[in-house]
DNA sequence: CAGTGGTCTAGACCACAGG
DNA sequence: CTGTGGTCTAGACCACTGG
């Protein structure tokens, strides 16, 4: 059982993974504690800790003080999607990026927007719609409301050459956010912008971000039909 | 500049975040090295390292040996979606889970499936379709091909009481996988299962998993119209 | 070449939660 | 109460990479 000279936390992690995959440690099993594993592997406990903590973050182990470490019975796959600035997303695919501002207005928002942003129903907010292009083809439609009560600087931007997407990330920090993914049928207006038939299935990402207790922005990004988001697990 | 007694890595992280949000350290800026920060904070360098490493994993810092640590110019939001066993997903929402096997056959797969799984075009694979229900309403449609050449145990399962989704996670480990998200129109057959109009916009998750060099399974999960996947960032 | 982050160590104390 | 993981420390060596 004793293993020699596993000196890096990665090698410890690999050996632990091997034991899990080889079913030496089965789903639901309690594995030896950190001190024992350190002795087995001939390394410091902190090295074992680093390896196991990382596996727990990936969902393969479940750790609890006093109760010990178990192999996850049904590991939850964690798919991490990188939501970058849309311009970079396009350029990283090797395409030419284009940008068209479709609408910019300061007005009273629909109630579901003002409620989500936590502002008064009569507050005027900045509304921006813009089309992002990839090699001149519609790539994504951005429909954004900015809480200009707490981000007054936004009112001074015309968003003609820089997208609100990019300007906000550069200029306004946020501390937390919610994000959701859904498939929705394209409305007539959305379809016109995206140059696709009405009711086409489009991938929609909704984001709502906050800076401490103040909302920053609510945005819906619609991707042209056929768009895929990919990642490794 | 000197800060007193920040003794936990979380408190160091909070102070670093505060400086970033307060624009004391601006996007793109080089921040002091770990040794200096440790002196400032009055803690060990490894504590600073833990705090900064964690922020780098979240995408807020960019770290390179010799070059130092910079505030990310345009932080890439990392949205981590938990892909759990569908039964648990339904039950966690407080709904009653139901399951109906729609199809189980061993046959030659379409070429795009056999190619994706890296098996011969004439190999017979296990094909399973099943409907997952939430409070008796269609929740998700699972369309799965299992590489029964390398997972022969699957041929002995009838998948009538346990879904392939759940059985595989319990029984067959995988070392890596690809996952993609897209919006697609429901085919006539899919629409019938999901009890929705044909061409409804549905969220599709495609997964392909491998155990070392052997493919395990290729699956498409279609969620009923209106389904949302949510997470925090 | 030299400065930076990456990691390992041995030891210590602590927070939490199971029994 | 006690065993477990969570963390901190001080020091050390190493790997990478920019100048």
């Amino acid at each position: 059982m004793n293993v020699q000279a596993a000196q890096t936390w990665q090698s410890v992690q690999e050996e632990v993974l091997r034991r899990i995959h080889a079913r030496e440690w089965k789903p639901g099993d309690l594995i030896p504690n950190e001190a024992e594993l350190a002795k087995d592997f001939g390394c410091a406990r902190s090295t074992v800790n680093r390896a196991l903590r990382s596996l727990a973050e990936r969902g393969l182990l479940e750790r609890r003080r006093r109760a010990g470490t178990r192999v996850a019975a049904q590991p939850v796959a964690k798919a991490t999607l990188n939501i970058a600035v849309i311009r970079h997303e396009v350029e990283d695919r090797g395409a030419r990026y284009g940008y068209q501002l479709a609408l910019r207005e300061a007005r009273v928002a629909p109630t579901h927007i003002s409620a989500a942003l936590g502002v008064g129903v009569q507050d005027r907010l900045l509304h921006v719609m813009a089309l992002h292009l990839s090699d001149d083809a519609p790539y994504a439609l951005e429909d954004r409301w900015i809480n200009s009560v707490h981000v007054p600087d936004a009112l001074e931007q015309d968003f003609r050459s820089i997208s609100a997407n990019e300007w906000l990330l550069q200029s306004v920090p946020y501390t937390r956010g919610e994000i959701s993914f859904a498939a929705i049928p394209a409305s007539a207006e959305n379809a016109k912008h995206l140059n696709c038939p009405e009711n086409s299935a489009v991938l929609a990402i909704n984001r709502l971000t906050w800076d401490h207790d103040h909302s920053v922005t609510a945005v819906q990004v619609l991707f042209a039909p056929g768009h895929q988001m990919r990642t490794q697990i």
Side-chain angles (χ1 to χ4, degrees), chain A residues 166-201:
Chain A
E166 199 158 348
W167 180 81
L168 278 169
L169 273 176
Q170 279 179 5
S171 314
V172 185
Y174 65 89
T175 50
R176 60 195 170 89
E178 292 178 9
I179 190 163
S180 72
F181 300 79
I184 65 172
S187 69
E189 186 190 7
N190 293 333
K192 195 186 66 182
H193 284 113
L194 290 173
N195 193 28
C196 67
E198 190 174 346
N199 293 323
S200 296

Side-chain angles (χ1 to χ4, degrees), chain A residues 10-228:
Chain A
Q10 291 96 334
S11 65
V12 170
Q13 188 175 83
E14 277 171 27
E15 171 60 13
V16 170
L17 276 174
R18 191 195 63 72
R19 294 184 185 185
I20 293 174
H21 288 140
R23 291 291 196 264
E24 292 176 24
W25 293 338
K26 301 186 184 63
D29 279 2
L30 197 61
I31 75 174
N33 68 33
E34 294 186 348
E36 285 180 45
L37 288 175
K39 203 173 54 178
D40 272 6
F41 289 134
C43 67
R45 180 167 78 95
S46 52
T47 304
V48 174
N49 180 279
R50 175 77 190 269
L52 298 188
R53 176 161 43 85
S54 169
L55 290 175
E57 283 167 4
R58 286 167 53 183
L60 277 80
L61 294 178
E62 290 168 359
R63 322 191 73 199
R64 268 156 46 217
R65 279 169 156 127
R66 168 82 198 192
T69 300
R70 290 179 183 279
V71 178
Q74 284 160 331
V76 174
K78 314 225 169 179
T80 301
L81 295 172
N82 291 334
I83 317 285
V85 169
I86 297 175
R87 179 167 64 83
H88 293 163
E89 208 175 296
V90 170
E91 290 171 351
D92 285 353
R93 296 182 177 218
R96 189 162 20 86
Y97 174 74
Y99 169 74
Q100 288 173 3
L101 182 64
L103 174 74
R104 183 194 181 285
E105 57 178 0
R107 49 163 289 196
V108 170
T111 52
H112 73 279
I113 296 289
S114 53
L117 289 174
V119 300
V121 289
Q122 78 291 359
D123 282 329
R124 286 158 62 88
L125 303 181
L126 190 58
H127 183 206
V128 176
M129 285 188 64
L131 187 63
H132 301 264
L133 306 164
S134 172
D135 282 342
D136 298 324
Y139 179 81
L141 180 64
E142 173 186 355
D143 184 350
R144 182 185 296 272
W145 291 85
I146 299 174
N147 183 350
S148 38
V149 177
H150 286 109
V151 189
D153 288 359
L155 295 169
E156 292 160 23
Q157 284 290 326
D158 63 14
F159 298 120
R160 266 183 285 186
S161 56
I162 184 174
S163 71
N165 175 258
E166 199 158 348
W167 180 81
L168 278 169
L169 273 176
Q170 279 179 5
S171 314
V172 185
Y174 65 89
T175 50
R176 60 195 170 89
E178 292 178 9
I179 190 163
S180 72
F181 300 79
I184 65 172
S187 69
E189 186 190 7
N190 293 333
K192 195 186 66 182
H193 284 113
L194 290 173
N195 193 28
C196 67
E198 190 174 346
N199 293 323
S200 296
V202 294
L203 187 61
I205 297 187
N206 277 281
R207 260 178 297 178
L208 187 56
T209 58
W210 300 74
D211 185 21
H212 298 98
D213 291 334
H214 296 316
S215 65
V216 174
T217 187
V219 62
Q220 179 173 69
V221 178
L222 298 183
F223 291 92
H227 182 80
Q228 288 196 345

